[in-house]
Amino acid sequence: MFKIVEKEILAPNIFSMDILAPRVAASAKPGQFVIVIADETGERVPLTICDYDAEKGTVQIVVQSMGSSTKKMAVYEKGDSFKDFVGPLGVPSEFVNEDLEELKKKKILFVAGGVGTAPVYPQVKWLHERGVKVDVIMGAKTKDLVILEDKLRSVADNLYVATDDGSYGFHGLVTNYIEELVNNQGKEYDVCIAIGPMIMMKFVALTTKKLNIKTIVSLNPIMVDGTGMCGACRVTVGNETKFACVDGPEFDGHLVDFDEALKRQGQYKTEEVKKDHKHHE
Ligand code: NAD
Ligand code: FES
């Protein structure tokens, strides 16, 4: 069993939990994820790692309660335990194995959208701890949904916040902010790492293609086993079939077939809604 040692509400329907999982905490690297199984009847829920502390043996996850499985997780409180906590899964971010001196020369931009801000944090923290300065754009629908702002501000060189409705920070989408920084404020970037909803990553990739900035995205398609066996998470990248759980989750954003990925994710959402309705009957 894996004990919840801390729980915090970050925004409406978004909460973080610190889970006691020393083995995962000791080996987790930026870019990786976990699969959580709440109880005997629980489904396997893939979740991004927001933070980890090898000394305390804890791993922090951030969950948005949307489907039936995450809604079930939301009722768990501090002191309760999950049945299983599998990970770390997936390939760590590319930069983890890059030469540090080369990395320091690069101008890196992170783009975090909504709940996708959670997996951006450990990446920026890892780089900050090694003296690599990066800029971060974070976008949310409204001020209420801006999460982890203080944590990110403490590790980012520059943090740019945008809201869709203009209730806080820059008024516009993250893609508008990328264009504002590059076209109007004279910023230059060699690499962009974008994590957020699939539709955001699609449009960030289109924007950075125009601006000629190499782009990495972290895909979160449907996952079932998380071990490369079931095929549920398959995505097309540069005309090749990849499994996000073992080949990813990070891929070259300019090569991902987003339209196919969005279509497959849409089918899944319909299933989740159906399941929810069944639940309420
Ligand atoms: P959201 O819909 O509020 O979007 C966040 C930001 O993305 C917006 O503020 C906007 O700036 C930008 N954006 C959205 N649509 C855009 C478009 N068409 N063009 C340009 N920019 C756009 O985000 P949310 O509701 O927090 O997102 C939830 C989704 O994020 C879920 O579907 C979840 O599965 C996904 N998610 C992905 C990851 C990942 O690893 N990729 C991690 C956590 C959550
Ligand atoms: Fe089954 Fe990736 S989740 S192959």
Side-chain angles (χ1 to χ4, degrees):
M1 298 295 274
F2 294 83
K3 197 170 176 179
I4 301 156
V5 293
E6 208 59 68
K7 181 181 177 183
E8 192 186 338
I9 307 294
L10 303 180
N13 294 324
I14 306 173
F15 56 92
S16 71
M17 282 176 171
D18 292 3
I19 313 292
L20 193 59
R23 199 188 52 80
V24 184
S27 50
K29 294 214 168 62
Q32 293 186 295
F33 65 98
V34 290
I35 285 187
V36 181
I37 303 165
D39 63 19
E40 296 302 327
T41 60
E43 285 177 44
R44 302 166 71 87
V45 187
L47 291 168
T48 35
I49 297 174
C50 176
D51 206 355
Y52 45 89
D53 186 326
E55 266 174 42
K56 287 192 197 153
T58 55
V59 177
Q60 186 173 66
I61 51 172
V62 169
V63 189
Q64 181 178 35
S65 41
M66 290 200 304
S68 50
S69 307
T70 45
K71 279 186 187 147
K72 192 166 159 185
M73 284 179 71
V75 300
Y76 281 68
E77 294 298 339
K78 184 176 168 175
D80 295 340
S81 294
F82 289 132
K83 178 177 175 282
D84 219 342
F85 194 80
V86 187
L89 299 169
V91 182
S93 304
E94 196 177 76
F95 60 73
V96 169
N97 298 314
E98 268 180 63
D99 179 75
L100 206 52
E101 291 315 309
E102 288 301 313
L103 207 52
K104 281 182 187 165
K105 287 185 207 151
K106 285 189 183 167
K107 297 191 187 74
I108 306 174
L109 173 69
F110 279 86
V111 179
V115 192
T117 305
V120 163
Y121 173 72
Q123 302 205 12
V124 178
K125 181 183 169 186
W126 191 96
L127 291 163
H128 173 77
E129 283 172 351
R130 286 158 185 80
V132 183
K133 291 182 179 169
V134 307
D135 284 359
V136 180
I137 296 176
M138 65 187 281
K141 288 192 192 79
T142 71
K143 187 173 193 283
D144 284 3
L145 295 170
V146 172
I147 58 167
L148 306 168
E149 185 186 357
D150 293 343
K151 268 179 96 129
L152 259 179
R153 202 173 291 287
S154 68
V155 290
D157 196 34
N158 291 298
L159 178 69
Y160 304 101
V161 184
T163 50
D164 301 6
D165 65 355
S167 51
Y168 187 52
F170 177 86
H171 186 177
L173 303 173
V174 291
T175 41
N176 303 130
Y177 217 160
I178 297 172
E179 287 183 328
E180 162 69 18
L181 291 178
V182 174
N183 294 335
N184 300 338
Q185 298 192 22
K187 286 275 186 176
E188 286 176 14
Y189 297 105
D190 303 309
V191 187
C192 169
I193 300 167
I195 313 184
M198 200 75 89
I199 189 81
M200 178 204 94
M201 296 190 285
K202 172 185 167 167
F203 283 101
V204 169
L206 287 172
T207 304
T208 55
K209 181 112 191 160
K210 248 184 351 198
L211 298 170
N212 207 12
I213 305 170
K214 174 188 162 162
T215 295
I216 293 164
V217 294
S218 179
L219 299 185
N220 63 325
I222 318 153
M223 286 194 192
V224 179
D225 65 345
T227 61
M229 302 298 284
C230 73
C233 69
R234 74 173 185 279
V235 286
T236 307
V237 184
N239 294 321
E240 277 180 55
T241 297
K242 299 277 183 190
F243 292 151
C245 68
V246 287
D247 301 320
E250 297 188 353
F251 295 103
D252 182 333
H254 295 157
L255 297 180
V256 170
D257 184 339
F258 280 109
D259 291 334
E260 179 197 63
L262 279 161
K263 214 164 121 197
R264 298 199 62 220
Q265 208 177 41
Q267 283 164 357
Y268 170 68
K269 277 214 179 100
T270 318
E271 288 302 311
E272 279 269 287
V273 170
K274 275 192 216 145
K275 232 185 294 162
D276 273 359
H277 285 167
K278 242 189 260 158
H279 231 73
H280 296 148
E281 275 159 13

